[in-house]
Amino acid sequence: MPRTHAPLETARRFRAAFGDHPATLTDALGHGLTRAQLLAAVERGLLLRPRHGQYQLADVAPGSSAWSGRQDAPAAAAGIGEKWRTEHLAGVRSALRAVGTGAFTTHDSAGMVLRAPRPDAHPPGRISLARPGIQDFSGPGLVVRGSPIPSAFVVEVDGIPTTD
């Protein structure tokens, strides 16, 4: 029976199998990981669940407190906003893959990508994307707008296309 309480090893195996890309639960199970192992890695903050049925490595550097299992109080308190950003960007990457080429972040999501200060202490409620030539649509946690924004106003930051 596989070990379920080795989140660091789970994250390492996930990284070896998928790199920095999101993976579906089915793909992760196909690489020998179990639901319990994935959940333990999510609880430790090493993996994120950007969308239902998807997993992705958290933007946590090896050797940080999350990888070592320690939480230093000042670092943990300072990282609350960064945790929101990490989780939101994981969702953004997943949504961009689902929406397809030509999509880019807008509104609060663009602000998170650009590290703009937030006016309040709450994380964005939804992922905001735009894609030229489509009708607006939305779903749980996601809004995609059809937008005629010229490509000159779209920049790439950390591999994420976003309005500037």
Coordinates of all heavy atoms in Angstrom, one line a residue, residues 64-131:
S64 N 12.3 26.0 0.9 CA 11.5 27.0 1.6 C 10.8 26.2 2.8 O 10.9 25.0 2.9 CB 10.5 27.6 0.7 OG 9.5 26.7 0.4
S65 N 10.2 27.0 3.6 CA 9.5 26.4 4.8 C 8.4 25.4 4.4 O 8.2 24.4 5.1 CB 8.9 27.5 5.7 OG 7.9 28.2 5.0
A66 N 7.8 25.6 3.3 CA 6.7 24.7 2.9 C 7.4 23.3 2.5 O 6.8 22.3 2.8 CB 5.9 25.2 1.7
W67 N 8.5 23.4 1.8 CA 9.2 22.1 1.5 C 9.8 21.4 2.7 O 9.8 20.2 2.8 CB 10.3 22.4 0.4 CG 9.8 22.5 -0.9 CD1 9.4 23.7 -1.5 CD2 9.6 21.5 -1.9 NE1 8.9 23.5 -2.8 CE2 9.1 22.1 -3.1 CE3 9.8 20.2 -1.9 CZ2 8.8 21.4 -4.2 CZ3 9.5 19.5 -3.1 CH2 9.0 20.1 -4.2
S68 N 10.2 22.2 3.6 CA 10.8 21.6 4.8 C 9.8 21.2 5.9 O 10.1 20.4 6.8 CB 11.9 22.5 5.4 OG 11.2 23.7 6.0
G69 N 8.6 21.7 5.8 CA 7.6 21.4 6.7 C 7.5 22.3 7.9 O 6.7 22.2 8.8
R70 N 8.4 23.3 8.0 CA 8.4 24.3 9.1 C 7.7 25.5 8.6 O 7.7 25.9 7.5 CB 9.8 24.8 9.4 CG 10.8 23.9 10.0 CD 12.0 24.6 10.4 NE 12.9 24.9 9.3 CZ 13.2 26.2 8.9 NH1 12.6 27.2 9.4 NH2 14.0 26.4 7.9
Q71 N 7.0 26.2 9.5 CA 6.4 27.5 9.3 C 7.0 28.5 10.2 O 6.7 28.4 11.4 CB 4.9 27.4 9.4 CG 4.2 26.6 8.3 CD 4.3 27.3 7.0 OE1 4.4 28.6 6.9 NE2 4.3 26.6 5.9
D72 N 7.8 29.4 9.7 CA 8.3 30.5 10.6 C 7.2 31.5 10.6 O 6.6 31.9 9.6 CB 9.5 31.1 10.0 CG 10.7 30.1 9.9 OD1 10.7 29.2 10.8 OD2 11.5 30.2 9.0
A73 N 6.8 32.0 11.8 CA 5.7 32.9 12.0 C 5.7 34.1 11.2 O 4.8 34.4 10.5 CB 5.5 33.2 13.5
P74 N 6.9 34.9 11.2 CA 6.9 36.1 10.3 C 6.7 35.8 8.9 O 6.0 36.5 8.1 CB 8.2 36.8 10.6 CG 8.7 36.2 11.9 CD 8.1 34.8 12.0
A75 N 7.4 34.8 8.4 CA 7.3 34.4 7.0 C 5.9 33.9 6.6 O 5.4 34.3 5.6 CB 8.3 33.3 6.6
A76 N 5.3 33.2 7.5 CA 3.9 32.7 7.2 C 3.0 33.9 7.2 O 2.1 33.9 6.3 CB 3.5 31.7 8.3
A77 N 3.1 34.8 8.1 CA 2.2 36.0 8.1 C 2.4 36.8 6.9 O 1.4 37.3 6.2 CB 2.4 36.8 9.4
A78 N 3.7 37.0 6.4 CA 3.9 37.8 5.3 C 3.5 37.1 4.0 O 3.2 37.8 3.0 CB 5.4 38.2 5.2
G79 N 3.4 35.8 4.0 CA 3.1 35.1 2.8 C 1.6 34.9 2.6 O 1.2 34.2 1.6
I80 N 0.7 35.5 3.4 CA -0.7 35.3 3.2 C -1.1 35.8 1.8 O -1.8 35.1 1.0 CB -1.5 35.9 4.3 CG1 -1.3 35.1 5.6 CG2 -3.0 36.0 3.9 CD1 -2.0 35.7 6.8
G81 N -0.7 37.1 1.5 CA -1.1 37.6 0.2 C -0.4 36.9 -1.0 O -1.0 36.7 -2.0
E82 N 0.8 36.4 -0.7 CA 1.5 35.6 -1.7 C 0.8 34.3 -2.0 O 0.8 33.8 -3.1 CB 3.0 35.5 -1.3 CG 3.8 34.9 -2.4 CD 3.9 35.8 -3.7 OE1 3.7 37.0 -3.6 OE2 4.2 35.2 -4.8
K83 N 0.3 33.7 -0.9 CA -0.5 32.5 -1.1 C -1.7 32.7 -2.0 O -1.9 31.9 -2.9 CB -0.9 31.9 0.3 CG -1.6 30.6 0.2 CD -1.9 30.1 1.6 CE -2.5 28.7 1.5 NZ -3.9 28.7 1.3
W84 N -2.4 33.8 -1.8 CA -3.5 34.1 -2.7 C -3.0 34.2 -4.1 O -3.7 33.7 -5.0 CB -4.2 35.4 -2.3 CG -5.0 35.4 -1.0 CD1 -5.4 34.3 -0.3 CD2 -5.3 36.5 -0.2 NE1 -6.1 34.7 0.8 CE2 -6.0 36.0 0.9 CE3 -5.2 37.9 -0.4 CZ2 -6.6 36.9 1.8 CZ3 -5.7 38.7 0.6 CH2 -6.4 38.2 1.7
R85 N -1.9 35.0 -4.3 CA -1.4 35.2 -5.6 C -1.0 33.8 -6.3 O -1.4 33.6 -7.4 CB -0.2 36.1 -5.6 CG 0.4 36.4 -6.9 CD 1.6 37.4 -6.9 NE 2.0 37.7 -8.2 CZ 2.9 36.9 -8.9 NH1 3.4 35.9 -8.3 NH2 3.3 37.3 -10.1
T86 N -0.3 33.0 -5.5 CA 0.1 31.7 -6.0 C -1.1 30.9 -6.5 O -1.1 30.3 -7.6 CB 0.9 30.9 -5.0 OG1 2.1 31.7 -4.7 CG2 1.3 29.6 -5.5
E87 N -2.1 30.8 -5.6 CA -3.3 30.0 -5.9 C -4.0 30.6 -7.1 O -4.5 29.9 -8.0 CB -4.2 30.0 -4.7 CG -3.7 29.1 -3.6 CD -4.5 29.1 -2.3 OE1 -5.5 29.9 -2.3 OE2 -4.1 28.4 -1.4
H88 N -4.1 32.0 -7.2 CA -4.8 32.6 -8.3 C -4.1 32.4 -9.6 O -4.7 32.0 -10.6 CB -5.0 34.1 -8.0 CG -6.0 34.8 -9.0 ND1 -7.3 34.6 -8.8 CD2 -5.7 35.5 -10.0 CE1 -7.9 35.3 -9.8 NE2 -7.0 35.9 -10.6
L89 N -2.8 32.5 -9.6 CA -2.0 32.3 -10.8 C -2.1 30.8 -11.3 O -2.0 30.6 -12.5 CB -0.6 32.7 -10.6 CG -0.4 34.2 -10.4 CD1 1.1 34.6 -10.4 CD2 -1.1 35.1 -11.5
A90 N -2.1 29.9 -10.4 CA -2.3 28.5 -10.8 C -3.6 28.3 -11.5 O -3.7 27.7 -12.5 CB -2.2 27.6 -9.6
G91 N -4.7 29.0 -11.0 CA -6.0 28.9 -11.6 C -6.0 29.6 -13.0 O -6.6 29.2 -13.9
V92 N -5.2 30.7 -13.0 CA -5.1 31.5 -14.3 C -4.4 30.6 -15.4 O -4.9 30.5 -16.5 CB -4.3 32.8 -14.1 CG1 -3.8 33.3 -15.4 CG2 -5.1 33.8 -13.4
R93 N -3.3 29.9 -15.0 CA -2.6 29.1 -16.0 C -3.6 27.9 -16.5 O -3.6 27.6 -17.6 CB -1.4 28.5 -15.4 CG -0.3 29.5 -15.2 CD 1.0 28.9 -14.7 NE 2.1 29.8 -14.7 CZ 2.5 30.5 -13.7 NH1 1.9 30.4 -12.5 NH2 3.5 31.4 -13.8
S94 N -4.3 27.4 -15.5 CA -5.2 26.3 -15.9 C -6.3 26.8 -16.8 O -6.7 26.2 -17.8 CB -5.8 25.7 -14.6 OG -6.7 24.7 -14.9
A95 N -6.9 28.0 -16.5 CA -8.0 28.6 -17.3 C -7.5 29.0 -18.7 O -8.2 28.8 -19.7 CB -8.6 29.8 -16.6
L96 N -6.3 29.5 -18.8 CA -5.7 29.9 -20.1 C -5.6 28.6 -21.0 O -5.9 28.7 -22.2 CB -4.3 30.6 -19.9 CG -4.4 32.0 -19.4 CD1 -3.0 32.5 -19.0 CD2 -5.0 32.9 -20.5
R97 N -5.2 27.5 -20.4 CA -5.1 26.3 -21.2 C -6.4 25.8 -21.7 O -6.6 25.4 -22.8 CB -4.4 25.2 -20.4 CG -2.9 25.4 -20.2 CD -2.3 24.3 -19.3 NE -2.6 23.0 -19.9 CZ -1.8 22.0 -19.9 NH1 -0.6 22.2 -19.5 NH2 -2.1 20.8 -20.4
A98 N -7.5 26.0 -20.8 CA -8.8 25.6 -21.2 C -9.4 26.5 -22.2 O -10.1 26.0 -23.1 CB -9.7 25.5 -19.9
V99 N -9.2 27.8 -22.1 CA -9.8 28.8 -23.0 C -9.1 28.7 -24.4 O -9.8 28.9 -25.4 CB -9.8 30.2 -22.4 CG1 -10.2 31.2 -23.4 CG2 -10.7 30.2 -21.2
G100 N -7.8 28.5 -24.4 CA -7.1 28.4 -25.7 C -6.3 29.6 -26.1 O -6.2 30.6 -25.4
T101 N -5.7 29.5 -27.2 CA -4.8 30.5 -27.7 C -5.4 31.8 -27.9 O -6.6 31.9 -28.2 CB -4.1 30.1 -29.0 OG1 -5.1 29.9 -30.0 CG2 -3.3 28.8 -28.8
G102 N -4.7 32.9 -27.6 CA -5.2 34.2 -27.8 C -5.8 34.8 -26.6 O -6.1 36.0 -26.5
A103 N -6.0 34.0 -25.5 CA -6.6 34.5 -24.3 C -5.5 35.2 -23.4 O -4.3 34.9 -23.5 CB -7.2 33.4 -23.5
F104 N -5.9 36.2 -22.6 CA -5.0 36.9 -21.7 C -5.8 37.3 -20.5 O -7.0 37.4 -20.5 CB -4.3 38.1 -22.4 CG -5.3 39.0 -23.1 CD1 -5.8 40.1 -22.4 CD2 -5.6 38.8 -24.4 CE1 -6.7 40.9 -23.1 CE2 -6.5 39.6 -25.1 CZ -7.1 40.7 -24.4
T105 N -5.0 37.6 -19.4 CA -5.7 38.1 -18.2 C -6.1 39.5 -18.2 O -5.5 40.3 -18.9 CB -4.8 37.9 -16.9 OG1 -3.6 38.7 -17.1 CG2 -4.4 36.4 -16.8
T106 N -7.1 39.8 -17.5 CA -7.6 41.2 -17.4 C -8.0 41.5 -15.9 O -8.0 40.6 -15.1 CB -8.9 41.5 -18.3 OG1 -9.9 40.6 -17.9 CG2 -8.5 41.2 -19.7
H107 N -8.4 42.7 -15.6 CA -9.0 43.1 -14.3 C -8.1 42.6 -13.2 O -6.9 42.8 -13.2 CB -10.4 42.6 -14.2 CG -11.3 43.2 -15.3 ND1 -11.4 42.8 -16.5 CD2 -12.1 44.3 -15.2 CE1 -12.2 43.5 -17.2 NE2 -12.7 44.5 -16.4
D108 N -8.8 42.0 -12.2 CA -8.1 41.5 -10.9 C -7.0 40.5 -11.3 O -5.9 40.5 -10.6 CB -9.0 41.0 -9.9 CG -9.7 42.0 -9.1 OD1 -9.3 43.2 -9.1 OD2 -10.7 41.6 -8.4
S109 N -7.2 39.6 -12.2 CA -6.2 38.6 -12.6 C -5.0 39.3 -13.2 O -3.9 38.9 -12.8 CB -6.8 37.6 -13.5 OG -7.9 36.9 -12.9
A110 N -5.2 40.3 -14.0 CA -4.0 41.0 -14.5 C -3.2 41.7 -13.4 O -2.0 41.7 -13.4 CB -4.4 42.0 -15.6
G111 N -4.0 42.2 -12.4 CA -3.3 42.9 -11.3 C -2.5 41.9 -10.5 O -1.4 42.2 -10.0
M112 N -3.0 40.7 -10.3 CA -2.2 39.6 -9.6 C -1.0 39.2 -10.4 O 0.1 39.1 -9.8 CB -3.1 38.4 -9.4 CG -4.3 38.6 -8.4 SD -3.8 39.1 -6.8 CE -3.7 37.5 -6.0
V113 N -1.1 39.1 -11.7 CA 0.1 38.8 -12.5 C 1.1 39.9 -12.4 O 2.3 39.6 -12.3 CB -0.4 38.6 -14.0 CG1 0.9 38.4 -14.9 CG2 -1.2 37.3 -14.1
L114 N 0.7 41.1 -12.5 CA 1.6 42.3 -12.5 C 2.0 42.7 -11.1 O 2.7 43.7 -10.9 CB 0.9 43.5 -13.2 CG 0.6 43.3 -14.6 CD1 -0.3 44.4 -15.2 CD2 1.9 43.1 -15.4
R115 N 1.5 42.0 -10.0 CA 1.8 42.3 -8.6 C 1.4 43.7 -8.2 O 2.1 44.3 -7.4 CB 3.3 42.1 -8.3 CG 3.8 40.7 -8.4 CD 5.3 40.5 -8.0 NE 5.7 39.2 -8.1 CZ 5.6 38.3 -7.0 NH1 5.1 38.7 -5.9 NH2 6.1 37.1 -7.1
A116 N 0.3 44.1 -8.8 CA -0.3 45.4 -8.4 C -0.9 45.3 -7.0 O -1.4 44.3 -6.6 CB -1.4 45.8 -9.4
P117 N -0.8 46.4 -6.2 CA -1.3 46.3 -4.9 C -2.9 46.2 -4.9 O -3.5 46.7 -5.8 CB -1.0 47.7 -4.2 CG -0.3 48.5 -5.3 CD -0.1 47.6 -6.5
R118 N -3.4 45.5 -4.0 CA -4.9 45.3 -3.9 C -5.5 46.3 -3.0 O -4.9 46.7 -2.0 CB -5.2 43.9 -3.4 CG -4.8 42.8 -4.4 CD -5.5 41.5 -4.3 NE -6.9 41.6 -4.1 CZ -7.9 41.7 -5.0 NH1 -7.5 41.9 -6.3 NH2 -9.1 41.7 -4.7
P119 N -6.7 46.8 -3.4 CA -7.3 47.9 -2.6 C -7.9 47.3 -1.3 O -8.2 48.1 -0.4 CB -8.4 48.4 -3.5 CG -8.7 47.3 -4.4 CD -7.4 46.6 -4.6
D120 N -8.0 46.0 -1.2 CA -8.6 45.4 0.1 C -7.8 44.2 0.4 O -6.9 43.8 -0.3 CB -10.1 45.1 -0.1 CG -10.4 44.2 -1.3 OD1 -9.5 43.4 -1.6 OD2 -11.5 44.2 -1.8
A121 N -8.2 43.6 1.5 CA -7.4 42.4 2.0 C -8.0 41.1 1.5 O -7.8 40.1 2.2 CB -7.3 42.4 3.5
H122 N -8.8 41.1 0.4 CA -9.4 39.9 0.0 C -8.9 39.5 -1.4 O -8.5 40.3 -2.2 CB -11.0 40.1 -0.2 CG -11.6 40.5 1.1 ND1 -11.8 39.6 2.2 CD2 -12.1 41.7 1.5 CE1 -12.4 40.3 3.2 NE2 -12.6 41.5 2.8
P123 N -8.8 38.2 -1.6 CA -8.3 37.7 -2.9 C -9.3 37.9 -3.9 O -10.5 38.1 -3.6 CB -8.1 36.2 -2.6 CG -9.0 35.8 -1.5 CD -9.1 37.1 -0.7
P124 N -8.9 37.9 -5.2 CA -10.0 38.1 -6.3 C -11.0 36.9 -6.2 O -10.6 35.8 -5.9 CB -9.1 38.0 -7.5 CG -7.7 38.2 -7.1 CD -7.6 37.8 -5.7
G125 N -12.2 37.2 -6.5 CA -13.3 36.2 -6.4 C -13.3 35.3 -7.6 O -13.6 34.2 -7.6
R126 N -12.9 35.9 -8.8 CA -12.9 35.1 -10.0 C -11.7 35.3 -10.9 O -11.0 36.4 -10.7 CB -14.1 35.5 -10.9 CG -15.4 35.4 -10.2 CD -16.6 35.5 -11.2 NE -16.7 36.8 -11.8 CZ -17.8 37.2 -12.5 NH1 -18.7 36.3 -12.7 NH2 -17.8 38.4 -13.0
I127 N -11.4 34.4 -11.7 CA -10.3 34.6 -12.7 C -11.0 35.4 -13.9 O -12.0 35.0 -14.4 CB -9.8 33.2 -13.2 CG1 -9.1 32.5 -12.0 CG2 -8.9 33.4 -14.4 CD1 -8.8 31.1 -12.3
S128 N -10.3 36.4 -14.3 CA -10.8 37.3 -15.4 C -9.8 37.1 -16.6 O -8.7 37.5 -16.5 CB -10.8 38.7 -15.0 OG -11.7 38.9 -13.9
L129 N -10.4 36.7 -17.7 CA -9.7 36.5 -19.0 C -10.4 37.3 -20.1 O -11.6 37.5 -20.0 CB -9.5 35.1 -19.4 CG -8.9 34.1 -18.4 CD1 -8.9 32.7 -19.0 CD2 -7.4 34.6 -18.1
A130 N -9.7 37.5 -21.2 CA -10.3 38.0 -22.4 C -9.7 37.3 -23.5 O -8.6 36.8 -23.5 CB -10.0 39.5 -22.5
R131 N -10.5 37.2 -24.6 CA -10.0 36.5 -25.8 C -10.8 37.2 -27.0 O -12.0 37.2 -27.0 CB -10.3 35.0 -25.8 CG -9.8 34.3 -27.0 CD -9.8 32.8 -26.8 NE -9.7 32.2 -28.1 CZ -10.3 31.1 -28.4 NH1 -11.0 30.4 -27.6 NH2 -10.1 30.6 -29.6

